[in-house]
């Protein structure tokens, strides 16, 4: 007998992972809902033929900033819900099951699109990106930012920042401060316009109100009734479209911010809550900053008749009572006045009879 030693080298079968691109191999994904971008292994090969997913192990090597991205056993790249819009470059690896050291890597470029209103339709295909019942084309399609807050009107729930949401101002034909319709959550024709705003499913929502007829629709108008008082200063309520808590001084069913006859110039708002939240922080007197009232004077007394504040040229801005004494009589300068009832005398300076009444400070 005799023996011989033979050396046999076994090499892994050629394995090739091929880059995947959107939209060539993959599909765009809705960032709000998340979803499957596509099958990464459909163009990968093992031993010269397309891979069988059961013959390989696949995993994410680098998520490219797309946190939570996964690849399932069939090679599907899955983007999680609530992913920020953007273009992500993901690196993945495939390895042979029989020879785990036999691997290759490739890149997948995934595009995640925004869905601002979360209706399941990406903004690029959605005719009403913020679901306020106003077509994007009427809101400037991203090119108009009425209140200058960095959010275009087509994505802004309160385009003019007046405290009344667009879903109310854009859908209140009868001017009662309550939207004529509310979103139903249904979109039969899938155009991004809720069925409540698109009853014929033809992409034509209801007309946009312009209460004062000044050519500026209410959702972009900071003074909806053109009475010289900003909407946000006329008690528009908490912005909840399902309730009607807007101020209606004369009880005629029309909220003050839509009622031009509610508060004539010189009308004081007698509730003061000087807490710095932007609401009722000053003793507000309608239109007193108008040129015709430039010679006005305002004096405020405590219940003992002491003057706690006095000013000429009152304008609701830099000359305004904020619940702080300006040092009249025996009241110290810059002293925060306590909660309670005070009394005012307003002389508009136009020859009319001075207005007298009370105001209440609530701290």
């Amino acid at each position: 007998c005799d023996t011989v030693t033979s050396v046999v080298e076994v090499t892994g079968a050629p394995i090739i992972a091929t880059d995947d691109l959107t939209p060539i191999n993959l599909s765009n994904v809705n960032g709000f809902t998340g979803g499957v971008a596509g099958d990464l292994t459909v163009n990968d090969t093992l031993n010269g033929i397309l891979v069988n997913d059961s013959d390989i192990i696949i995993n994410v090597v680098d998520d490219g900033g797309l946190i939570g991205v996964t690849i399932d056993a069939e090679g599907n790249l899955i983007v999680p819900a609530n992913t920020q819009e953007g273009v992500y470059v993901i690196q993945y690896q495939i390895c042979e099951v029989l020879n785990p050291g036999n691997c290759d890597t490739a890149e997948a470029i995934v595009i995640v699109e925004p869905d601002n209103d979360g209706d399941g339709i990406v903004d690029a295909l959605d005719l009403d990106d913020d679901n306020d019942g106003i077509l994007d084309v009427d809101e400037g399609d991203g090119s108009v930012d009425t209140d200058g807050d960095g959010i275009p009107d087509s994505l802004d729930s309160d385009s003019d920042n007046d405290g009344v949401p667009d879903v109310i101002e854009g859908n209140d034909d009868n001017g009662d401060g309550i939207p004529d319709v509310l979103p139903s959550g249904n979109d039969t024709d899938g155009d991004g316009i809720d069925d409540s705003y698109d009853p014929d499913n033809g992409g034509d929502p209801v007309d946009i109100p312009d209460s004062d007829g000044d050519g500026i629709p209410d959702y972009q108008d900071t003074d909806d009734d053109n009475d010289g008082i900003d909407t946000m200063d006329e008690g528009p309520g908490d912005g909840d479209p399902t309730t009607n808590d807007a101020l209606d001084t004369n009880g005629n069913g029309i909220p003050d911010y839509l009622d031009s006859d509610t508060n004539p110039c010189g009308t004081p708002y007698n509730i003061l809550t000087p807490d710095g939240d932007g609401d009722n922080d000053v003793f507000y007197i309608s239109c007193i900053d108008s040129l015709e009232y430039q010679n006005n004077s305002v004096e405020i007394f405590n219940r003992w008749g002491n003057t706690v504040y006095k000013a000429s040229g009152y304008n609701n801005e830099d000359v305004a009572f904020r619940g702080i004494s300006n040092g009249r009589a025996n009241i110290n300068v810059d002293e925060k006045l306590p909660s309670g009832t005070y009394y005012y005398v307003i002389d508009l300076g136009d020859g009319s009879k001075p207005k007298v009444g009370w105001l209440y400070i609530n701290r």
Side-chain angles (χ1 to χ4, degrees):
C1 298
D2 195 10
T3 60
V4 65
T5 300
S6 298
V7 178
V8 179
E9 182 179 357
V10 179
T11 60
I15 186 168
I16 299 175
T18 304
D19 291 343
D20 299 278
L21 307 176
T22 302
I24 299 173
N25 311 105
L26 304 175
S27 300
N28 293 8
V29 177
N30 184 316
F32 178 79
T33 62
V36 176
D39 186 348
L40 299 183
T41 60
V42 71
N43 56 356
D44 296 339
T45 61
L46 177 63
N47 203 23
I49 61 174
L50 294 177
V51 299
N52 186 320
D53 290 325
S54 62
D55 293 332
I56 60 171
I57 302 168
I58 184 169
N59 58 77
V60 176
V61 176
D62 185 346
D63 64 14
L66 205 167
I67 299 172
V69 66
T70 57
I71 304 173
D72 67 16
E74 284 73 43
N76 294 309
L77 187 146
I78 303 171
V79 176
N82 300 311
T83 295
Q84 185 175 356
E85 65 178 287
V87 178
Y88 298 89
V89 180
I90 298 163
Q91 189 177 67
Y92 72 97
Q93 182 183 68
I94 58 174
C95 298
E96 185 181 5
V97 171
L98 294 178
N99 186 8
N102 183 27
C103 304
D104 195 23
T105 60
E107 290 182 345
I109 299 178
V110 180
I111 298 176
V112 178
E113 294 192 84
D115 177 10
N116 184 73
D117 55 9
D119 62 357
I121 301 173
V122 296
D123 291 353
L125 301 176
D126 195 331
L127 299 181
D128 182 11
D129 290 346
D130 53 3
N131 200 32
D132 59 2
I134 308 171
L135 289 177
D136 293 341
V137 67
D138 292 327
E139 292 190 283
D141 250 341
S143 64
V144 177
D145 179 12
T146 298
D147 56 10
D149 62 355
I151 304 173
D153 289 0
S154 57
L155 298 177
D156 197 336
S157 60
D158 185 5
S159 297
D160 53 5
N161 196 32
D162 64 355
V164 185
D166 295 351
V167 71
I168 296 178
E169 290 187 298
N171 302 279
D172 182 18
D173 278 340
N174 61 1
D176 62 358
I178 305 173
D180 299 332
V181 293
L182 289 171
S184 66
N186 299 315
D187 179 13
T188 301
D189 56 4
D191 60 358
I193 307 176
D194 190 279
D195 286 356
S196 292
Y197 306 128
D198 188 15
D200 63 355
N201 287 307
D204 295 317
V206 295
D207 293 334
I208 304 171
D210 176 14
S211 297
D212 55 10
D214 62 355
I216 304 174
D218 289 354
Y219 78 91
Q220 292 180 322
D221 196 340
T222 57
D223 182 7
D224 292 339
D225 54 2
N226 199 31
D227 63 354
I229 309 172
D230 285 347
T231 295
M232 67 187 306
D233 292 325
E234 293 195 271
D238 62 9
D240 184 348
T242 64
T243 62
N244 183 22
D245 58 354
L247 184 65
D248 179 11
T249 301
N250 57 16
N252 64 351
I254 303 174
D256 288 2
Y257 72 87
L258 294 175
D259 193 341
S260 59
D261 293 328
T262 300
N263 301 298
C265 286
T267 300
Y269 287 75
N270 58 359
I271 300 297
L272 185 63
T273 57
D275 55 8
D277 67 352
D279 294 326
N280 302 314
D281 284 337
V282 303
F283 178 47
Y284 187 89
I285 305 171
S286 62
C287 310
I288 200 166
D289 57 344
S290 299
L291 185 61
E292 61 185 302
Y293 305 129
Q294 61 181 335
N295 296 319
N296 72 72
S297 64
V298 175
E299 190 166 5
I300 297 173
F301 307 86
N302 62 19
R303 60 179 177 172
W304 294 285
N306 296 320
T307 299
V308 297
Y309 179 87
K310 187 174 184 178
S312 299
Y314 197 94
N315 60 14
N316 296 323
E317 297 291 342
D318 57 307
V319 182
F321 178 57
R322 292 178 167 79
I324 298 175
S325 169
N326 63 0
R328 304 291 172 174
N330 60 347
I331 307 299
N332 295 326
V333 175
D334 294 333
E335 178 180 331
K336 288 186 178 181
L337 299 170
S339 297
T341 302
Y342 295 79
Y343 302 90
Y344 62 78
V345 176
I346 301 171
D347 184 351
L348 294 176
D350 62 346
S352 62
K353 183 179 179 180
K355 297 176 180 290
V356 297
W358 61 271
L359 67 94
Y360 187 81
I361 297 177
N362 184 21
R363 292 191 183 277

